[in-house]
Amino acid sequence: MSFTANLDRIVARAEELRASLSEGLNGDSFAAASRELAELEPVVARIEELWAAERGLAEAEAMLADPDMRELAESEAEILREKLPSLTKEIRIALLPKDEADERSAILEIRPAAGGDEASLFAAQLFSMYQRYAEIRGWRFEILEYDDTGLGGLKGGMAEITGRSVFARLKYESGVHRVQRVPATESQGRIHTSTVTVAVLPEAEDVDVQIDEGDLRIDVYRASGAGGQHVNKTESAVRITHLPSGIVVAMQEEKSQHKNRAKAMKILKARLYEQQRAALHASRAADRRAQVGTGDRSERIRTYNFPQGRVSDHRINLTLYKIDRVMLGELDDFVDALTAEDQAARLSAQEL
C-alpha cells in the first residue's frame, strides 16, 4: 500500500470509529473502539495538518502568476515547502510498527561484573540513578531484591518500575555499563575500570506466559543476611526453577514466604516473556545473557568517566559532560537520542 493510500485508510478508519461510538456501542466493543480511536487521533491530526499544508502550497504556487501576489506567495510557499518534509517524517515515525511491550511496566536488574568492590559500589549508584529517574518520570519504583555488600555496594538488585511507557523509555539501558574513576582506596591515584550489567525486561501479563505448575520446582529455605533473628527461624526464602527453560529465580527480600513466591513468579514470567520475544524478533538478543553481555570490560554500551566528568553512549557516539546530573537521574538526553536513532534506523529499513 502506498504512503498516500495508507493515510487515506487511517483517516477513514478514524471516521468509522467515531460513527460507531456515536451510534451507542457498549461494553467491550465501546472500550476497544475508544482505545483504537485514541491511538489514531494524534496521527490523524498530523495527517490533516499535512494535507492542509499541501493545499496551502498548491494555492501559493497558483498565485505566483499574479504579479501583485507573487512576493507574498513566494514567502508562503517557502515556509510550506520547509514544513512538509518534517510533517511527513513525523507521520512515518508514528506509523512505524509498535513494540507491543513499549507501554508496559518493567523489571530492572543490576549486577556488578568485572571490578570487585568498585563494581559493587557503582552497581549501587546505578540502582539509585534509575530510582531517581523513575521519580522524575512519576513512576512507581518497588524494590524486589537488594543484596548489599555491607560496605555501600550492591551484589545484585531488582526493582519493578510501574507506570506509562516504562519499557519504551528504559529498554535501551540493557547492556554493560562501564565506570572509570579513582577508587577511594587507591593511594596512588590510578584510574580503575569496572563494569556493571543492566537488564530491563518488560513485565509479563498472565495472557503472555502460561506456566504449568508441573514445570516448576519450588524450594523454600531460611533467608540469609540481614534480618535479625527472623532469618534463623523461618523458611521464608523461595527458589523457583522452571524446568523446561532452566531459569532459576530466588527471592528472600520479604519476611513472608507467600510474598517472596509472588515476587519470584513475577520475575520468572518476565524472563520467560522476554525469551519468547527474543525468539520472535531475531534482531533482539536470543536470551538474557546475550542481552547484558558477559560483563567483560571490553563490552560496553555506556562509559561513566568521573575524572573527566563525562558520560558517553557508544551506540550513538553521544557524550555529555554532566556526569553529576546524569547520576541524579537526568537520563532523558540519552533516552531521547537512542529513541530517535532507533526510529531513524527503522525508517531507513522501510525505505530499502
Side-chain angles (χ1 to χ4, degrees):
M1 183 183 294
S2 70
F3 180 63
T4 301
N6 197 21
L7 301 191
D8 291 337
R9 180 189 63 80
I10 290 167
V11 173
R13 177 58 179 163
E15 290 174 352
E16 180 185 330
L17 288 167
R18 291 190 192 103
S20 296
L21 289 168
S22 66
E23 290 170 3
L25 289 176
N26 51 47
D28 292 342
S29 298
F30 179 86
S34 296
R35 280 196 302 271
E36 186 180 352
L37 182 59
E39 291 176 2
L40 289 179
E41 280 182 331
V43 184
V44 169
R46 277 286 182 261
I47 293 171
E48 290 174 344
E49 191 176 348
L50 174 67
W51 287 348
E54 289 174 339
R55 288 193 300 270
L57 177 59
E59 291 168 2
E61 289 176 337
M63 288 192 296
L64 291 175
D66 185 344
D68 295 332
M69 301 296 293
R70 185 175 183 83
E71 185 176 349
L72 177 62
E74 284 181 342
S75 174
E76 182 68 16
E78 184 178 354
I79 291 171
L80 290 171
R81 286 193 195 101
E82 291 178 357
K83 186 177 183 180
L84 285 171
S86 62
L87 280 172
T88 301
K89 183 179 179 181
E90 286 179 25
I91 293 169
R92 287 188 182 278
I93 289 173
L95 296 181
L96 285 172
K98 299 290 189 297
D99 183 338
E100 64 176 13
D102 273 353
E103 293 300 313
R104 298 194 181 196
S105 299
I107 302 291
L108 169 73
E109 181 175 358
I110 295 178
R111 306 280 174 195
D117 290 342
E118 181 64 12
S120 297
L121 289 169
F122 188 58
Q125 286 183 282
L126 282 184
F127 198 87
S128 296
M129 179 185 76
Y130 289 117
Q131 188 168 13
R132 293 187 182 107
Y133 184 59
E135 291 171 0
I136 291 170
R137 300 291 303 183
W139 298 332
R140 181 170 173 264
F141 189 97
E142 180 186 355
I143 296 174
L144 300 177
E145 175 194 347
Y146 195 94
D147 188 7
D148 64 72
T149 63
L151 298 172
L154 178 64
K155 296 178 185 176
M158 285 186 285
E160 178 185 18
I161 306 177
T162 308
R164 184 176 179 182
S165 302
V166 173
F167 186 68
R169 301 294 294 174
L170 288 181
K171 62 184 177 182
Y172 304 109
E173 295 301 300
S174 289
V176 176
H177 294 241
R178 181 175 68 173
V179 59
Q180 295 174 325
R181 63 183 173 189
V182 180
T185 55
E186 172 56 62
S187 59
Q188 298 182 22
R190 291 174 299 187
I191 295 175
H192 288 223
T193 299
S194 306
T195 59
V196 171
T197 61
V198 174
V200 179
L201 308 177
E203 194 163 71
E205 298 174 358
D206 289 339
V207 293
D208 301 318
V209 180
Q210 300 296 324
I211 297 178
D212 187 337
E213 287 289 326
D215 289 338
L216 301 178
R217 186 177 72 239
I218 300 177
D219 303 304
V220 295
Y221 55 99
R222 293 180 182 177
S224 60
Q229 294 182 348
H230 165 78
V231 298
N232 298 317
K233 292 182 177 180
T234 309
E235 291 188 335
S236 60
V238 175
R239 182 188 301 109
I240 299 178
T241 303
H242 184 251
L243 299 173
S245 66
I247 294 174
V248 180
V249 180
M251 183 60 57
Q252 63 174 35
E253 194 73 15
E254 300 287 344
K255 293 183 179 181
S256 159
Q257 184 186 117
H258 176 73
K259 289 181 179 179
N260 281 328
R261 175 172 172 151
K263 285 185 175 182
M265 283 297 293
K266 184 174 289 187
I267 294 164
L268 174 61
K269 287 180 179 179
R271 290 182 180 169
L272 287 170
Y273 178 52
E274 180 63 8
Q275 198 173 73
Q276 291 176 9
R277 283 165 47 82
L280 291 171
H281 305 284
S283 61
R284 291 184 62 86
D287 56 30
R288 185 173 157 277
R289 288 188 301 278
Q291 181 192 48
V292 302
T294 64
D296 184 85
R297 288 179 177 84
S298 64
E299 294 183 344
R300 77 274 190 238
I301 62 168
R302 193 175 295 152
T303 293
Y304 304 73
N305 186 302
F306 280 81
Q308 296 180 16
R310 64 175 171 83
V311 184
S312 301
D313 196 292
H314 307 290
R315 296 163 293 180
I316 51 175
N317 295 319
L318 174 62
T319 295
L320 301 177
Y321 287 87
K322 55 173 190 177
I323 194 166
D324 291 343
R325 288 161 59 189
V326 170
M327 298 310 296
L328 288 173
E330 295 187 19
L331 296 174
D332 277 339
D333 286 341
F334 285 115
V335 174
D336 291 341
L338 287 160
T339 301
E341 178 74 11
D342 177 57
Q343 290 171 344
R346 290 195 288 149
L347 280 175
S348 296
Q350 275 191 346
E351 293 166 1
L352 293 177

